[in-house]
Amino acid sequence: MNKVLRNMPLHCSRLLLLAAAPVVAAQPMLEEVIVTAQKKAESLQDAPISISAFGAEAMEAKGIHNLVDLRANVPNLQLTPHPNSATSARIFMRGVGNNDDQITQDPSIAVYMDGVYVARSQGLAQEVADIAQIEVLRGPQGTLYGRNATGGAINVVTRAPDLGEFGFSQALSAGNYDYFRSRTSVNVPLGESFAAKFAYLQSEKEGFVDNIGTGVERFGDQERAAWRADLLWEPTDSLRLRYGYDRSQIDDTPMFLTLAPLYPQQAERPSRGSEFVDNLQANDVTAQGHSLTVSWLLNDALELKYIGAFRELDNFTYQDYHSGVPGDHALIVTVFDGPQEQTSHELQLLGEAFDSRLEFIVGAYVFEEWAESVDLTVLENLPIDLTGDGSPDARSDVYIFRDVEIDNSAQALFGQATYTPQWLDSRLHITAGLRVSQDQRKAIKNTTTELRDIAPLVPLPFPSPAMLTMVDPEGKGDRDFDDVSPSLVVAYDLSDAINVYAKLVKGYKTGGYNVRASSVERFNAGFDEETLISTELGLKSELWNNRLRLNAAVFQADYDDIQINLQTDPNDVTVTDVLNVGQAVIEGAELDITAVLSESLTLNVNYGYLDPDYREILGENGEELRDMFRFVNAPQHSAGIDLSYVRPLSFAEFSANLGYTWQDEKFSKTTLDNGTYIVDDYGLLNARVGLSDIALLGGSLRTAIWGRNLEDKEYYIAHFDALVPTAVFGDPRSYGIDVMFEY
């Protein structure tokens, strides 16, 4: 119990002790789930929010090692790779997200690691060496967090050191496709009030598409490593300091992009690439950061907390698009290389008053970011117009060099308070929150275009040039954005085991700049912020003598000034303009059920429903374009069912887990101007069987065999337009064994 207390805010000790109090039960019961989504340790059932939480055991059973592995496990959550790099994760929640990964645009879903905001989607496929829990918060966030988010937030919580106890764990996994994974963790006490923890992770897996051209051997290889060091010091009962350093390295090879017909037809999963692939290069992405968290209990009812962090990202990615289709070259090659640095400071005051009837948090947040992206896009053998008569008269390899630099800053004041009046038997809880945001966005863009290997298609009125170089005027933008976002929640306890809530909350995402703009004037003008107002009704309940947990939420989101990508040149996928021309309504529902069917058998069911509808999209000249646009990564239905069986044996505990996840078809391109891009519906069957609590050398051993996609389904995880219809396939059947020793 002491370990748990040290990992949570100090003012939450009393709640956790009550939650951990022994209960004499004549029948099997649900285990309580503790979350920190609202900046305090509380039962999942008491948090008036639609949330999915995965602890260490659940992540191990489901094979969740990083954010991308959440893909099929959370209703109304979608994670897809960006076409330029599988190391970048595009996150959509409740139909809201970013379909691009430009450094000049903020994400719609906020990702946090131990309370520290991670600003860029590049590198989000990274491994984290020692994860304790992942929490997925659906709907707008802001009054409790340093950054705002219109779609939701994902919290990654790592394991803190343990005072006074030496600990060691070693986990090994192996499987087909030469899969190997090793995680080592050591906890070292250094006196009664100081402890250190170190963790290292290495993961490797071969891709399923061979490269028969030059360069790396395969597409889709995974080669990753992660380090983590934590120091915990508690000099007094009221003061705790935790320092953490993490580093993640991704050396994956590029994913394979296959030529794919338009829906409803589907390509076959490939096993080899083209002989014309030339010098295929591995990615090289390093993300690392330092964080310091200081918690000071001023008195029994008041805590002061500081979270400071510095993070940096080095991002080199390489992607080959369709070598050998239709000729002996790649249609497109993209190369990105650039650093990013961010610094953040957050101060929180948490407390309670009026005999604990009032709980509150107020905070201030400061964020600074600098980044540069030097990228090259090569379009090979492209028709071009040299004479300016509007028709192509030559073919050329087009090299677009782009250098983009950003300098961003943000400040925010936020707060939230929950009051429980004495009347109505203290069953009513009223929560009000407010966030005041100020964002500054600066961006500079330099673009140079070179035409190389020009081959005339018709006689030209001038000598055929060998190469042409065109330098665009420098783009420069500098804008400020302000916002006030309120929230209101009214919750009522129908009984000790059933409560309902109604929530009204506003989300805001700052404006920015578009590096793919059709002109320098469009880049300089940038685009404005977008807002989303969400209304949600929720139910949290534990029924059937605490053997059935049923949580449900229905919501409607009014989405305004949506930042819409308009492809202004249908023949050039590299040019789009971002305009605030969209209005939409998103309706949906989420359902989570956990049922203890017997002492050994537990059933989990989750379901998500989405119905997004654009109400208005205006073109450049005010024309209505709504019928041409669709919400991407928003399947109407998504569901999962999970059955777990646990039985004690004389020498160990036997466990078995069978899970099936399914999602409906979904649009994967925002516009219908060049065909309908749809990822068809698919379901995946996974299983795991293991033994745990095996006594060995004074410690505990557990082992398991597992299989994923047992039916070997062929399915897309992305489908998009890259001059030709293009798809990325999900992994085929995989299987392996896990072994873990803990002391």
Side-chain angles (χ1 to χ4, degrees), residues 1 4-5 8-21 32-36 40-44 46-47 352 359:
M1 190 65 233
V4 177
L5 291 177
M8 299 295 181
L10 294 177
H11 75 283
C12 302
S13 307
R14 183 165 48 208
L15 172 62
L16 287 179
L17 287 171
L18 289 173
E32 186 171 23
V33 179
I34 300 297
V35 296
T36 58
K40 61 181 180 180
E42 62 182 336
S43 170
L44 174 71
D46 293 333
E352 55 185 43
E359 295 181 338

PDB file of all heavy atoms in Angstrom, residues 1 4-5 8-21 32-36 40-44 46-47 352 359:
ATOM      1  N   MET A   1       0.823  -1.202   0.000  1.00  0.00           N
ATOM      2  CA  MET A   1       0.000   0.000   0.000  1.00  0.00           C
ATOM      3  C   MET A   1       0.858   1.254   0.000  1.00  0.00           C
ATOM      4  O   MET A   1       0.549   2.245  -0.641  1.00  0.00           O
ATOM      5  CB  MET A   1      -0.900  -0.027   1.244  1.00  0.00           C
ATOM      6  CG  MET A   1      -1.957   1.043   1.219  1.00  0.00           C
ATOM      7  SD  MET A   1      -3.112   0.775  -0.139  1.00  0.00           S
ATOM      8  CE  MET A   1      -3.058   2.324  -0.941  1.00  0.00           C
ATOM      9  N   VAL A   4       1.758   2.420  -3.475  1.00  0.00           N
ATOM     10  CA  VAL A   4       0.700   3.131  -4.173  1.00  0.00           C
ATOM     11  C   VAL A   4       0.604   4.565  -3.695  1.00  0.00           C
ATOM     12  O   VAL A   4       0.483   5.511  -4.469  1.00  0.00           O
ATOM     13  CB  VAL A   4      -0.648   2.411  -3.982  1.00  0.00           C
ATOM     14  CG1 VAL A   4      -1.773   3.183  -4.638  1.00  0.00           C
ATOM     15  CG2 VAL A   4      -0.568   0.991  -4.536  1.00  0.00           C
ATOM     16  N   LEU A   5       0.686   4.751  -2.388  1.00  0.00           N
ATOM     17  CA  LEU A   5       0.571   6.101  -1.838  1.00  0.00           C
ATOM     18  C   LEU A   5       1.664   7.006  -2.347  1.00  0.00           C
ATOM     19  O   LEU A   5       1.446   8.181  -2.610  1.00  0.00           O
ATOM     20  CB  LEU A   5       0.608   6.034  -0.298  1.00  0.00           C
ATOM     21  CG  LEU A   5      -0.613   5.384   0.373  1.00  0.00           C
ATOM     22  CD1 LEU A   5      -0.393   5.319   1.862  1.00  0.00           C
ATOM     23  CD2 LEU A   5      -1.882   6.139   0.042  1.00  0.00           C
ATOM     24  N   MET A   8       0.965   8.591  -5.834  1.00  0.00           N
ATOM     25  CA  MET A   8      -0.191   9.452  -5.997  1.00  0.00           C
ATOM     26  C   MET A   8       0.044  10.771  -5.254  1.00  0.00           C
ATOM     27  O   MET A   8       0.902  10.874  -4.386  1.00  0.00           O
ATOM     28  CB  MET A   8      -1.455   8.769  -5.433  1.00  0.00           C
ATOM     29  CG  MET A   8      -1.786   7.461  -6.133  1.00  0.00           C
ATOM     30  SD  MET A   8      -2.229   7.747  -7.854  1.00  0.00           S
ATOM     31  CE  MET A   8      -2.582   6.047  -8.371  1.00  0.00           C
ATOM     32  N   PRO A   9      -0.750  11.824  -5.594  1.00  0.00           N
ATOM     33  CA  PRO A   9      -0.643  13.083  -4.860  1.00  0.00           C
ATOM     34  C   PRO A   9      -0.841  12.864  -3.366  1.00  0.00           C
ATOM     35  O   PRO A   9      -1.635  12.026  -2.934  1.00  0.00           O
ATOM     36  CB  PRO A   9      -1.768  13.931  -5.471  1.00  0.00           C
ATOM     37  CG  PRO A   9      -1.964  13.350  -6.843  1.00  0.00           C
ATOM     38  CD  PRO A   9      -1.691  11.888  -6.703  1.00  0.00           C
ATOM     39  N   LEU A  10      -0.151  13.664  -2.557  1.00  0.00           N
ATOM     40  CA  LEU A  10      -0.150  13.444  -1.110  1.00  0.00           C
ATOM     41  C   LEU A  10      -1.530  13.590  -0.499  1.00  0.00           C
ATOM     42  O   LEU A  10      -1.898  12.845   0.410  1.00  0.00           O
ATOM     43  CB  LEU A  10       0.811  14.457  -0.463  1.00  0.00           C
ATOM     44  CG  LEU A  10       2.293  14.273  -0.819  1.00  0.00           C
ATOM     45  CD1 LEU A  10       3.101  15.380  -0.177  1.00  0.00           C
ATOM     46  CD2 LEU A  10       2.801  12.914  -0.378  1.00  0.00           C
ATOM     47  N   HIS A  11      -2.334  14.517  -1.011  1.00  0.00           N
ATOM     48  CA  HIS A  11      -3.625  14.760  -0.378  1.00  0.00           C
ATOM     49  C   HIS A  11      -4.622  13.644  -0.639  1.00  0.00           C
ATOM     50  O   HIS A  11      -5.729  13.667  -0.100  1.00  0.00           O
ATOM     51  CB  HIS A  11      -4.204  16.095  -0.870  1.00  0.00           C
ATOM     52  CG  HIS A  11      -4.746  16.037  -2.255  1.00  0.00           C
ATOM     53  ND1 HIS A  11      -3.931  16.040  -3.356  1.00  0.00           N
ATOM     54  CD2 HIS A  11      -6.019  15.957  -2.701  1.00  0.00           C
ATOM     55  CE1 HIS A  11      -4.681  15.983  -4.432  1.00  0.00           C
ATOM     56  NE2 HIS A  11      -5.949  15.921  -4.076  1.00  0.00           N
ATOM     57  N   CYS A  12      -4.227  12.626  -1.457  1.00  0.00           N
ATOM     58  CA  CYS A  12      -5.155  11.541  -1.785  1.00  0.00           C
ATOM     59  C   CYS A  12      -4.975  10.323  -0.892  1.00  0.00           C
ATOM     60  O   CYS A  12      -5.636   9.300  -1.087  1.00  0.00           O
ATOM     61  CB  CYS A  12      -4.946  11.110  -3.243  1.00  0.00           C
ATOM     62  SG  CYS A  12      -5.162  12.453  -4.404  1.00  0.00           S
ATOM     63  N   SER A  13      -4.090  10.379   0.087  1.00  0.00           N
ATOM     64  CA  SER A  13      -3.783   9.205   0.903  1.00  0.00           C
ATOM     65  C   SER A  13      -5.023   8.635   1.569  1.00  0.00           C
ATOM     66  O   SER A  13      -5.237   7.427   1.598  1.00  0.00           O
ATOM     67  CB  SER A  13      -2.760   9.573   1.982  1.00  0.00           C
ATOM     68  OG  SER A  13      -1.632  10.182   1.412  1.00  0.00           O
ATOM     69  N   ARG A  14      -5.856   9.527   2.122  1.00  0.00           N
ATOM     70  CA  ARG A  14      -7.021   9.066   2.856  1.00  0.00           C
ATOM     71  C   ARG A  14      -7.955   8.266   1.957  1.00  0.00           C
ATOM     72  O   ARG A  14      -8.457   7.210   2.339  1.00  0.00           O
ATOM     73  CB  ARG A  14      -7.757  10.282   3.431  1.00  0.00           C
ATOM     74  CG  ARG A  14      -8.960   9.914   4.278  1.00  0.00           C
ATOM     75  CD  ARG A  14      -9.392  11.112   5.102  1.00  0.00           C
ATOM     76  NE  ARG A  14      -9.484  12.297   4.264  1.00  0.00           N
ATOM     77  CZ  ARG A  14      -9.306  13.521   4.718  1.00  0.00           C
ATOM     78  NH1 ARG A  14      -8.988  13.734   5.976  1.00  0.00           N
ATOM     79  NH2 ARG A  14      -9.414  14.546   3.912  1.00  0.00           N
ATOM     80  N   LEU A  15      -8.177   8.754   0.733  1.00  0.00           N
ATOM     81  CA  LEU A  15      -9.049   8.049  -0.195  1.00  0.00           C
ATOM     82  C   LEU A  15      -8.501   6.676  -0.532  1.00  0.00           C
ATOM     83  O   LEU A  15      -9.228   5.686  -0.551  1.00  0.00           O
ATOM     84  CB  LEU A  15      -9.217   8.874  -1.478  1.00  0.00           C
ATOM     85  CG  LEU A  15      -9.968   8.177  -2.631  1.00  0.00           C
ATOM     86  CD1 LEU A  15     -11.385   7.855  -2.209  1.00  0.00           C
ATOM     87  CD2 LEU A  15      -9.961   9.045  -3.870  1.00  0.00           C
ATOM     88  N   LEU A  16      -7.200   6.583  -0.782  1.00  0.00           N
ATOM     89  CA  LEU A  16      -6.605   5.311  -1.163  1.00  0.00           C
ATOM     90  C   LEU A  16      -6.637   4.311  -0.018  1.00  0.00           C
ATOM     91  O   LEU A  16      -6.832   3.114  -0.227  1.00  0.00           O
ATOM     92  CB  LEU A  16      -5.171   5.525  -1.630  1.00  0.00           C
ATOM     93  CG  LEU A  16      -5.049   6.188  -3.000  1.00  0.00           C
ATOM     94  CD1 LEU A  16      -3.587   6.376  -3.337  1.00  0.00           C
ATOM     95  CD2 LEU A  16      -5.738   5.373  -4.058  1.00  0.00           C
ATOM     96  N   LEU A  17      -6.434   4.780   1.191  1.00  0.00           N
ATOM     97  CA  LEU A  17      -6.498   3.870   2.328  1.00  0.00           C
ATOM     98  C   LEU A  17      -7.901   3.283   2.472  1.00  0.00           C
ATOM     99  O   LEU A  17      -8.080   2.100   2.762  1.00  0.00           O
ATOM    100  CB  LEU A  17      -6.094   4.612   3.608  1.00  0.00           C
ATOM    101  CG  LEU A  17      -4.594   4.931   3.724  1.00  0.00           C
ATOM    102  CD1 LEU A  17      -4.358   5.857   4.902  1.00  0.00           C
ATOM    103  CD2 LEU A  17      -3.786   3.645   3.873  1.00  0.00           C
ATOM    104  N   LEU A  18      -8.907   4.127   2.245  1.00  0.00           N
ATOM    105  CA  LEU A  18     -10.267   3.617   2.301  1.00  0.00           C
ATOM    106  C   LEU A  18     -10.521   2.615   1.191  1.00  0.00           C
ATOM    107  O   LEU A  18     -11.162   1.578   1.387  1.00  0.00           O
ATOM    108  CB  LEU A  18     -11.262   4.789   2.178  1.00  0.00           C
ATOM    109  CG  LEU A  18     -11.349   5.716   3.399  1.00  0.00           C
ATOM    110  CD1 LEU A  18     -12.224   6.909   3.067  1.00  0.00           C
ATOM    111  CD2 LEU A  18     -11.875   4.977   4.614  1.00  0.00           C
ATOM    112  N   ALA A  19      -9.990   2.921  -0.016  1.00  0.00           N
ATOM    113  CA  ALA A  19     -10.206   2.018  -1.145  1.00  0.00           C
ATOM    114  C   ALA A  19      -9.523   0.686  -0.928  1.00  0.00           C
ATOM    115  O   ALA A  19      -9.961  -0.341  -1.435  1.00  0.00           O
ATOM    116  CB  ALA A  19      -9.689   2.664  -2.436  1.00  0.00           C
ATOM    117  N   ALA A  20      -8.415   0.690  -0.160  1.00  0.00           N
ATOM    118  CA  ALA A  20      -7.648  -0.537   0.033  1.00  0.00           C
ATOM    119  C   ALA A  20      -8.059  -1.300   1.287  1.00  0.00           C
ATOM    120  O   ALA A  20      -7.503  -2.342   1.591  1.00  0.00           O
ATOM    121  CB  ALA A  20      -6.160  -0.204   0.116  1.00  0.00           C
ATOM    122  N   ALA A  21      -9.022  -0.769   2.033  1.00  0.00           N
ATOM    123  CA  ALA A  21      -9.429  -1.436   3.262  1.00  0.00           C
ATOM    124  C   ALA A  21      -9.945  -2.833   2.965  1.00  0.00           C
ATOM    125  O   ALA A  21     -10.650  -3.056   1.986  1.00  0.00           O
ATOM    126  CB  ALA A  21     -10.532  -0.619   3.944  1.00  0.00           C
ATOM    127  N   GLU A  32     -11.731  -2.343  -7.494  1.00  0.00           N
ATOM    128  CA  GLU A  32     -11.833  -0.908  -7.714  1.00  0.00           C
ATOM    129  C   GLU A  32     -10.701  -0.434  -8.617  1.00  0.00           C
ATOM    130  O   GLU A  32      -9.561  -0.863  -8.493  1.00  0.00           O
ATOM    131  CB  GLU A  32     -11.794  -0.148  -6.389  1.00  0.00           C
ATOM    132  CG  GLU A  32     -12.054   1.342  -6.565  1.00  0.00           C
ATOM    133  CD  GLU A  32     -12.229   2.053  -5.234  1.00  0.00           C
ATOM    134  OE1 GLU A  32     -11.738   1.530  -4.220  1.00  0.00           O
ATOM    135  OE2 GLU A  32     -12.846   3.118  -5.203  1.00  0.00           O
ATOM    136  N   VAL A  33     -11.026   0.473  -9.541  1.00  0.00           N
ATOM    137  CA  VAL A  33     -10.055   1.064 -10.453  1.00  0.00           C
ATOM    138  C   VAL A  33      -9.804   2.503 -10.018  1.00  0.00           C
ATOM    139  O   VAL A  33     -10.740   3.307  -9.927  1.00  0.00           O
ATOM    140  CB  VAL A  33     -10.560   1.032 -11.910  1.00  0.00           C
ATOM    141  CG1 VAL A  33      -9.538   1.682 -12.842  1.00  0.00           C
ATOM    142  CG2 VAL A  33     -10.842  -0.407 -12.343  1.00  0.00           C
ATOM    143  N   ILE A  34      -8.554   2.814  -9.715  1.00  0.00           N
ATOM    144  CA  ILE A  34      -8.180   4.166  -9.298  1.00  0.00           C
ATOM    145  C   ILE A  34      -7.561   4.903 -10.475  1.00  0.00           C
ATOM    146  O   ILE A  34      -6.667   4.391 -11.158  1.00  0.00           O
ATOM    147  CB  ILE A  34      -7.176   4.130  -8.129  1.00  0.00           C
ATOM    148  CG1 ILE A  34      -7.797   3.401  -6.924  1.00  0.00           C
ATOM    149  CG2 ILE A  34      -6.764   5.543  -7.728  1.00  0.00           C
ATOM    150  CD1 ILE A  34      -9.011   4.079  -6.343  1.00  0.00           C
ATOM    151  N   VAL A  35      -8.054   6.115 -10.758  1.00  0.00           N
ATOM    152  CA  VAL A  35      -7.525   6.936 -11.850  1.00  0.00           C
ATOM    153  C   VAL A  35      -7.120   8.296 -11.300  1.00  0.00           C
ATOM    154  O   VAL A  35      -7.552   8.712 -10.220  1.00  0.00           O
ATOM    155  CB  VAL A  35      -8.566   7.104 -12.978  1.00  0.00           C
ATOM    156  CG1 VAL A  35      -8.882   5.766 -13.621  1.00  0.00           C
ATOM    157  CG2 VAL A  35      -9.839   7.762 -12.464  1.00  0.00           C
ATOM    158  N   THR A  36      -6.278   8.991 -12.065  1.00  0.00           N
ATOM    159  CA  THR A  36      -5.817  10.328 -11.671  1.00  0.00           C
ATOM    160  C   THR A  36      -6.176  11.360 -12.734  1.00  0.00           C
ATOM    161  O   THR A  36      -5.545  12.409 -12.824  1.00  0.00           O
ATOM    162  CB  THR A  36      -4.296  10.324 -11.441  1.00  0.00           C
ATOM    163  OG1 THR A  36      -3.636   9.903 -12.645  1.00  0.00           O
ATOM    164  CG2 THR A  36      -3.924   9.382 -10.305  1.00  0.00           C
ATOM    165  N   LYS A  40      -6.387  14.054  -9.164  1.00  0.00           N
ATOM    166  CA  LYS A  40      -6.483  13.486  -7.824  1.00  0.00           C
ATOM    167  C   LYS A  40      -6.770  11.996  -7.975  1.00  0.00           C
ATOM    168  O   LYS A  40      -7.333  11.556  -8.979  1.00  0.00           O
ATOM    169  CB  LYS A  40      -7.592  14.156  -7.004  1.00  0.00           C
ATOM    170  CG  LYS A  40      -8.978  14.007  -7.611  1.00  0.00           C
ATOM    171  CD  LYS A  40     -10.036  14.709  -6.785  1.00  0.00           C
ATOM    172  CE  LYS A  40     -11.420  14.547  -7.408  1.00  0.00           C
ATOM    173  NZ  LYS A  40     -12.468  15.222  -6.607  1.00  0.00           N
ATOM    174  N   ALA A  41      -6.361  11.232  -6.999  1.00  0.00           N
ATOM    175  CA  ALA A  41      -6.651   9.801  -7.020  1.00  0.00           C
ATOM    176  C   ALA A  41      -8.097   9.595  -6.601  1.00  0.00           C
ATOM    177  O   ALA A  41      -8.516  10.017  -5.529  1.00  0.00           O
ATOM    178  CB  ALA A  41      -5.709   9.053  -6.087  1.00  0.00           C
ATOM    179  N   GLU A  42      -8.870   8.976  -7.471  1.00  0.00           N
ATOM    180  CA  GLU A  42     -10.272   8.728  -7.181  1.00  0.00           C
ATOM    181  C   GLU A  42     -10.719   7.477  -7.916  1.00  0.00           C
ATOM    182  O   GLU A  42     -10.092   7.029  -8.877  1.00  0.00           O
ATOM    183  CB  GLU A  42     -11.139   9.915  -7.595  1.00  0.00           C
ATOM    184  CG  GLU A  42     -11.099  10.220  -9.076  1.00  0.00           C
ATOM    185  CD  GLU A  42     -11.937  11.434  -9.448  1.00  0.00           C
ATOM    186  OE1 GLU A  42     -12.878  11.766  -8.703  1.00  0.00           O
ATOM    187  OE2 GLU A  42     -11.651  12.059 -10.483  1.00  0.00           O
ATOM    188  N   SER A  43     -11.806   6.919  -7.457  1.00  0.00           N
ATOM    189  CA  SER A  43     -12.364   5.760  -8.125  1.00  0.00           C
ATOM    190  C   SER A  43     -12.840   6.140  -9.520  1.00  0.00           C
ATOM    191  O   SER A  43     -13.358   7.243  -9.754  1.00  0.00           O
ATOM    192  CB  SER A  43     -13.546   5.204  -7.319  1.00  0.00           C
ATOM    193  OG  SER A  43     -14.248   4.232  -8.061  1.00  0.00           O
ATOM    194  N   LEU A  44     -12.651   5.230 -10.469  1.00  0.00           N
ATOM    195  CA  LEU A  44     -13.158   5.432 -11.817  1.00  0.00           C
ATOM    196  C   LEU A  44     -14.646   5.750 -11.796  1.00  0.00           C
ATOM    197  O   LEU A  44     -15.136   6.542 -12.614  1.00  0.00           O
ATOM    198  CB  LEU A  44     -12.901   4.169 -12.650  1.00  0.00           C
ATOM    199  CG  LEU A  44     -13.480   4.118 -14.064  1.00  0.00           C
ATOM    200  CD1 LEU A  44     -12.725   5.073 -14.974  1.00  0.00           C
ATOM    201  CD2 LEU A  44     -13.420   2.704 -14.614  1.00  0.00           C
ATOM    202  N   ASP A  46     -16.292   7.427  -9.594  1.00  0.00           N
ATOM    203  CA  ASP A  46     -16.596   8.757  -9.070  1.00  0.00           C
ATOM    204  C   ASP A  46     -16.229   9.877 -10.036  1.00  0.00           C
ATOM    205  O   ASP A  46     -16.597  11.028  -9.809  1.00  0.00           O
ATOM    206  CB  ASP A  46     -15.858   8.982  -7.745  1.00  0.00           C
ATOM    207  CG  ASP A  46     -16.365   8.073  -6.639  1.00  0.00           C
ATOM    208  OD1 ASP A  46     -17.540   7.663  -6.708  1.00  0.00           O
ATOM    209  OD2 ASP A  46     -15.583   7.756  -5.723  1.00  0.00           O
ATOM    210  N   ALA A  47     -15.489   9.564 -11.095  1.00  0.00           N
ATOM    211  CA  ALA A  47     -15.036  10.587 -12.032  1.00  0.00           C
ATOM    212  C   ALA A  47     -16.113  10.831 -13.084  1.00  0.00           C
ATOM    213  O   ALA A  47     -16.429   9.925 -13.871  1.00  0.00           O
ATOM    214  CB  ALA A  47     -13.732  10.146 -12.702  1.00  0.00           C
ATOM    215  N   GLU A 352      -9.107  21.394  -0.330  1.00  0.00           N
ATOM    216  CA  GLU A 352     -10.501  21.185   0.022  1.00  0.00           C
ATOM    217  C   GLU A 352     -10.842  22.102   1.189  1.00  0.00           C
ATOM    218  O   GLU A 352      -9.967  22.566   1.930  1.00  0.00           O
ATOM    219  CB  GLU A 352     -10.768  19.722   0.376  1.00  0.00           C
ATOM    220  CG  GLU A 352      -9.871  19.175   1.482  1.00  0.00           C
ATOM    221  CD  GLU A 352     -10.081  17.698   1.720  1.00  0.00           C
ATOM    222  OE1 GLU A 352     -10.195  16.943   0.734  1.00  0.00           O
ATOM    223  OE2 GLU A 352     -10.122  17.305   2.907  1.00  0.00           O
ATOM    224  N   GLU A 359     -13.900  20.832  -3.118  1.00  0.00           N
ATOM    225  CA  GLU A 359     -12.596  20.398  -3.609  1.00  0.00           C
ATOM    226  C   GLU A 359     -12.241  21.262  -4.806  1.00  0.00           C
ATOM    227  O   GLU A 359     -13.093  21.531  -5.665  1.00  0.00           O
ATOM    228  CB  GLU A 359     -12.626  18.923  -4.019  1.00  0.00           C
ATOM    229  CG  GLU A 359     -12.880  17.973  -2.864  1.00  0.00           C
ATOM    230  CD  GLU A 359     -12.881  16.523  -3.320  1.00  0.00           C
ATOM    231  OE1 GLU A 359     -13.098  16.288  -4.532  1.00  0.00           O
ATOM    232  OE2 GLU A 359     -12.665  15.635  -2.484  1.00  0.00           O
TER     233      GLU A 359
END
